[in-house]
Amino acid sequence: MMTDEDILKKLEDSTKNATRHQLETLQSILERQSGVRYLQPYLSGCCAPIDAATYKRTVPLSCYDDYADHINQLAGGDHGQNDQPLLAVDPLVCFFYSSGTSSMKPKLIPYFDSALSKAASQIAIQGSVAILRRLFPPKHDVNKILFFIYSDNKTTTKAGFKVMAASAFPLQGSSNENLSQLIRHSSPREVIVGSNFQHQMYCHLLCGLRNYEFIDGIFSPYAIGLIGAFSFFESKWEQLCDDLENGYPCLDITEVAMRDSVIEVLGGPQPDLSKRIRSICGESNWSGIFSKLWPNVRYIKCVTTGSMSQYCSKIKYYAGEVPVLGGDYFASECYVGINLDIAQPPQTTRFVMLPTAAYFEFLPFDMEKNEAVGEETVDFSGVEIGKMYEVVVTTYRGFYRYRLGDIVKVVDFYNSSPQVEFVMRAPKSSFEIISERDLMSAMESFQMMLRNVMAVEIVEFAGYTNLESSPKKLMIFVEIREGCTKLRDSVAILRRCCSSLEDAFGSIYKAQRDRGEISPLSVSIVKPGTFDRLLQVAIEKGAPASQYKPPKIVRNREIVEFMEGCSLVTVRLDSLDG
């Protein structure tokens, strides 16, 4: 088994010869997969070995819809006819869920048992752990993590394949490595694989509180996971204290395996611990609550880039002096980049692209026009510092020149490997009039205005462009923490804030607004808890709780109708509805 030093050296060496490793990665993928049914129409007339130029010339850029039929066949048990596999020659293990953010119905990402991919994945995963251990050397007596992760392993396809979140896959099975990870968790496995998201979150908190002296770090795949957990904690801390005092979870926790495992962790009534937490939480001061509850915690770790950046200030509020570390750039389709400098500010995390994880291309992206520039891609050696690109991947597991849907900015090179910042999710079409980045920037200013003039805090928001109306119409849905009952008395103030919000949108919006192609802005304040209910609906439809990200740009009419049904007051800049 490799030491941390061996793993870090291997990562370092791969970035020094990044272009060569990229070409070798593509060659190894094509040598193994060129005969699959998806690639055959494009590569059947090409002579082996197929070089990168030929590959990019003959195989078109793709998106999920290009694979959907093949994936549905695989999920149903059809692996190809006449010994010709559909997407990959390797055995199908399971499916990963995409986040299901904008559509409420997640995509299925096939996971094939590829030895080459597994080797690349291990370097990424072990590298991430080694980097963390280098900054925070393990302690013998404080050695547990409070990890807000949820893995319902009961979902299966028609053919019997398990479907799960990619972040939960390492916890499946009974290998020594998987068991060693579970030993470090403050929650037992029965909580992680439970079937009720809110009950799992409650039990994660309860077990974390019981193990308060041993908690070294607090983890969540995404920042929203921590925000959700500790907003939940604010409303449930008294019940949690009752449970600690009684030595068993409340009657709401009905899943027998989960309940019994938590009772075992609690180890009987804990009146002194309950009293300690009551004294901390009774002050209703949540600033620095992490270190108050867990005095030995050394770090918080989660992804805080892109749409997650809005939660940074709240996480830092909860964290106090405890450092918040950014996560890595790991997608369901493949590993993309690693955060080599986890001490940097989490909201500006820079990821070093992993040359052996997949074959990467970069499609130039114009932020002013909010669209990709043509279909000509560049490789590792062709990217330019300061430019924006959409990431395109060819993976070991059945995706070929696949548009990942992520926009990144190249900020530097680490050795010869690009170093990127995650900017936003790519627009789905050229008809979209605001980008995710435009919306988040404008809403940041809107939040400051609401805080100053109405003393309210924004909990969550989303935007939707109705392209079917004439002229087009932009709708913003906003959930605020306090002051909802007084909104009708503050409409004039709210209208002024909304006017300033419209002024903050990007150039595409402004140009179309000036030409009369867009109606005046509509802003709806929705009921408290609306976005939590949206999360529940998404989970019920299959979205993985660990990977769920609230939609910023909504493209699903069902979500819009749900939001409209939750509206308390709507301000249109040309009229008023109640």
Side-chain angles (χ1 to χ4, degrees):
M1 187 172 177
M2 287 192 294
T3 65
D4 285 355
E5 290 72 22
D6 293 335
I7 294 163
L8 294 174
K9 185 178 186 304
K10 196 161 187 175
L11 278 172
E12 182 76 12
D13 290 345
S14 72
T15 63
K16 288 178 179 176
N17 299 290
T19 301
R20 177 174 63 82
H21 283 295
Q22 275 285 275
L23 294 175
E24 290 174 352
T25 296
L26 178 62
Q27 186 178 30
S28 64
I29 292 170
L30 294 180
E31 282 178 355
R32 188 159 180 78
Q33 312 290 4
S34 60
V36 301
R37 191 183 301 179
Y38 177 85
L39 286 176
Q40 266 300 286
Y42 310 115
L43 299 181
S44 58
C46 299
C47 297
I50 300 164
D51 61 21
T54 302
Y55 175 67
K56 290 193 283 187
R57 186 178 67 251
T58 56
V59 179
L61 295 175
S62 62
C63 64
Y64 186 83
D65 289 345
D66 297 309
Y67 301 86
D69 288 345
H70 288 331
I71 289 171
N72 290 335
Q73 284 180 257
L74 288 168
D78 181 356
H79 296 268
Q81 299 174 352
N82 302 322
D83 296 323
Q84 186 184 33
L86 297 173
L87 295 175
V89 300
D90 304 290
L92 179 63
V93 177
C94 65
F95 289 89
F96 294 149
Y97 276 133
S98 68
S99 63
T101 300
S102 60
S103 65
M104 294 183 78
K105 185 176 181 181
K107 300 167 186 156
L108 291 181
I109 309 297
Y111 178 89
F112 296 97
D113 187 15
S114 162
L116 292 170
S117 180
K118 197 176 292 182
S121 300
Q122 285 300 101
I123 289 297
I125 295 168
Q126 292 173 5
S128 179
V129 172
I131 290 163
L132 182 63
R133 283 198 289 242
R134 185 171 59 182
L135 189 60
F136 297 99
K139 292 182 175 181
H140 177 69
D141 51 342
V142 181
N143 55 11
K144 288 193 176 292
I145 56 173
L146 172 52
F147 197 165
F148 292 97
I149 191 166
Y150 313 93
S151 169
D152 180 0
N153 64 355
K154 297 173 185 174
T155 305
T156 58
T157 70
K158 182 180 177 181
F161 291 103
K162 287 185 178 181
V163 188
M164 67 192 75
S167 56
F169 180 75
L171 302 175
Q172 302 295 314
S174 58
S175 70
N176 290 335
E177 187 176 350
N178 293 340
L179 291 173
S180 68
Q181 287 193 56
L182 286 168
I183 289 170
R184 289 204 65 210
H185 287 221
S186 59
S187 300
R189 187 178 186 276
E190 290 80 2
V191 171
I192 296 167
V193 302
S195 59
N196 184 298
F197 163 60
Q198 285 209 324
H199 293 175
Q200 290 169 282
M201 185 187 296
Y202 186 91
C203 289
H204 276 317
L205 288 164
L206 190 55
C207 294
L209 292 169
R210 176 61 184 93
N211 286 294
Y212 81 100
E213 293 177 291
F214 309 109
I215 300 297
D216 187 39
I218 301 174
F219 281 58
S220 178
Y222 293 102
I224 183 62
L226 283 185
I227 295 299
F230 283 91
S231 296
F232 186 70
F233 176 81
E234 286 186 40
S235 66
K236 297 289 185 181
W237 66 268
E238 290 179 288
Q239 180 64 63
L240 288 162
C241 287
D242 288 345
D243 291 358
L244 287 167
E245 194 165 349
N246 294 330
Y248 53 83
C250 64
L251 296 177
D252 291 343
I253 312 302
T254 56
E255 197 167 322
V256 175
M258 188 190 306
R259 185 177 182 84
D260 288 349
S261 69
V262 173
I263 290 173
E264 186 175 343
V265 170
L266 293 180
Q270 305 294 327
D272 292 342
L273 178 56
S274 175
K275 183 179 179 181
R276 175 183 178 274
I277 296 168
R278 288 185 196 277
S279 68
I280 293 170
C281 297
E283 299 177 3
S284 297
N285 177 12
W286 307 109
S287 176
I289 192 67
F290 289 163
S291 56
K292 293 175 186 175
L293 293 174
W294 296 283
N296 295 315
V297 68
R298 289 190 289 173
Y299 56 88
I300 319 296
K301 194 168 191 282
C302 56
V303 170
T304 49
T305 51
S307 64
M308 295 295 109
S309 62
Q310 75 177 91
Y311 310 113
C312 265
S313 59
K314 187 68 174 180
I315 288 178
K316 288 180 177 178
Y317 171 77
Y318 284 137
E321 298 300 315
V322 182
V324 180
L325 314 178
D328 298 293
Y329 187 177
F330 294 169
S332 298
E333 294 83 356
C334 65
Y335 294 91
V336 181
I338 193 166
N339 179 6
L340 288 179
D341 182 11
I342 55 176
Q344 65 189 302
Q347 65 271 33
T348 58
T349 301
R350 295 181 169 195
F351 305 102
V352 176
M353 301 290 285
L354 291 165
T356 60
Y359 178 68
F360 297 101
E361 300 172 62
F362 300 84
L363 188 61
F365 189 86
D366 188 327
M367 290 296 292
E368 288 296 316
K369 295 181 179 179
N370 196 32
E371 63 183 8
V373 182
E375 293 198 351
E376 292 292 323
T377 62
V378 295
D379 59 14
F380 266 33
S381 62
V383 295
E384 298 179 44
I385 293 174
K387 296 284 184 70
M388 303 279 186
Y389 300 91
E390 181 177 354
V391 180
V392 176
V393 298
T394 294
T395 75
Y396 290 98
R397 297 194 177 110
F399 287 99
Y400 307 97
R401 305 201 74 208
Y402 178 80
R403 296 175 71 160
L404 203 54
D406 294 342
I407 305 301
V408 300
K409 179 181 180 181
V410 177
V411 293
D412 206 344
F413 282 87
Y414 183 85
N415 295 324
S416 59
S417 190
Q419 199 170 27
V420 303
E421 288 180 355
F422 185 95
V423 177
M424 64 179 188
R425 290 290 291 167
K428 292 296 183 184
S429 77
S430 59
F431 297 107
E432 293 190 2
I433 56 177
I434 60 167
S435 69
E436 186 180 274
R437 194 185 200 191
D438 288 336
L439 179 61
M440 292 186 64
S441 176
M443 289 302 295
E444 189 174 346
S445 301
F446 187 56
Q447 164 69 95
M448 291 178 65
M449 284 185 286
L450 288 182
R451 187 182 292 138
N452 291 336
V453 303
M454 298 178 67
V456 295
E457 294 286 330
I458 292 177
V459 173
E460 198 54 83
F461 60 87
Y464 169 72
T465 303
N466 187 341
L467 299 174
E468 296 177 0
S469 66
S470 183
K472 291 177 287 191
K473 181 179 177 183
L474 177 62
M475 307 162 68
I476 308 295
F477 299 98
V478 182
E479 181 181 332
I480 60 178
R481 192 177 301 277
E482 297 174 6
C484 291
T485 56
K486 301 177 182 178
L487 283 174
R488 291 178 183 275
D489 301 327
S490 308
V491 166
I493 299 173
L494 188 57
R495 183 188 294 274
R496 288 199 298 273
C497 292
C498 291
S499 181
S500 297
L501 172 61
E502 186 175 50
D503 292 339
F505 288 134
S507 57
I508 296 175
Y509 179 90
K510 290 174 183 175
Q512 294 192 27
R513 183 77 172 87
D514 291 343
R515 293 195 298 265
E517 297 171 9
I518 304 174
S519 299
L521 178 67
S522 169
V523 178
S524 291
I525 306 298
V526 298
K527 298 174 186 176
T530 292
F531 280 85
D532 283 343
R533 288 194 289 276
L534 185 64
L535 162 63
Q536 288 297 331
V537 172
I539 291 172
E540 288 167 10
K541 291 184 178 246
S546 290
Q547 292 178 197
Y548 179 80
K549 301 181 283 292
K552 290 293 172 279
I553 303 296
V554 175
R555 303 181 180 95
N556 182 285
R557 186 65 205 175
E558 186 181 352
I559 297 178
V560 175
E561 290 172 356
F562 176 85
M563 293 288 191
E564 288 176 328
C566 296
S567 176
L568 288 171
V569 62
T570 298
V571 171
R572 295 187 178 93
L573 294 186
D574 58 348
S575 64
L576 171 66
D577 286 347

